[in-house]
Amino acid sequence: MLLLVGRRLAQWLIYPAFLCGSVALVLVLLRWLHPIVAMNLVNGLAGLALIPLERALPYEQSWLRSRGDVPTDVSYLLLSAFVSLVLAAPLMAVVSGGALWLAHQADRGLWPSSWPFLAQLGLALVVYELGSWTLHRLSHATVLFRLHSVHHSVRRLTWFNSIRAHPLDFLLSVTATSGPLLLLGVPDEVFAAVTVVGTVNMWLQHANIDTRTGWLDWLFVTPHIHRWHHSPLAEEQGKNLGAVLLVWDWAFGTRYSPAGRAPPVDVGPGVADFPDTFVHQLLAPFRRALWAEKPVESHAR
């Protein structure tokens, strides 16, 4: 009985505890560490903490079995780190320089730094979401899907394969989410908090953990909400495009969670013959023959 109560309690607490705990921890670490170090440390600790939870509380048993995809995911993790250091970091430094110039021209900062921290964090999330949602919508409605399809290539959902993304898609995502905040001159602690929330929520969305989120499904892009987005059906992939909040999905009518149906277990890109290996996936967006096929339109479970 106690075990069952503990399990249910864990299912309800995991999602809010990870989000709130990650923000609290990064704010503490910022007292001693550089923001980039603090953010990466919190993100790494959150990912490691999800490993035993996926084994103890799996959402889908079949997703626990390796499908030979771990080496591909490790390759994407290393590539993302390389892109962050070599391309994204210098780009964000240029954007930050632009923010300082704009602030100097206006004789004041563009960001409402006098607001309480939670109000600044809320505004930062809305700005972060607008960039993320807009790019995500374009990535499912234009030729950009050729890049974004790499993220949808996973055949099971785990926290670790959430990082799977084509380097060009990854760079666009960082620019769309972090760029506007840095350009507005967001303070370090707010930027660190919103970035950690975005990353940890991404871990949680893809984690193979049987969480219970209830009314949070109406406000946040929870695991239940995001699993619909990984359907192989094009019309379902184009829904729930937010990163953390559903604010823009509500505004543009893309929030999706049909009653009486569970999210699909058979996830995938919805593109016939999409490759599974790292190098072939990097080349996939540029293969004309691959995109001559029509996306999957029939319902798949």
Side-chain angles (χ1 to χ4, degrees), residues 134-135 138-149 169 172 285:
T134 301
L135 175 63
L138 291 174
S139 296
H140 281 273
T142 70
V143 71
L144 286 176
F145 183 70
R146 296 190 181 190
L147 296 175
H148 188 59
S149 62
D169 187 35
L172 286 173

Side-chain angles (χ1 to χ4, degrees), residues 133 214-220 222 224-225 238-241 246 248-258:
W133 187 94
W215 62 270
L216 294 176
D217 292 343
W218 297 93
L219 300 176
F220 294 89
T222 62
H224 172 78
I225 293 296
K239 304 295 185 180
N240 302 334
L241 300 167
L246 284 166
W248 299 112
D249 283 300
W250 279 116
F252 294 101
T254 52
R255 196 251 182 200
Y256 183 78
S257 182

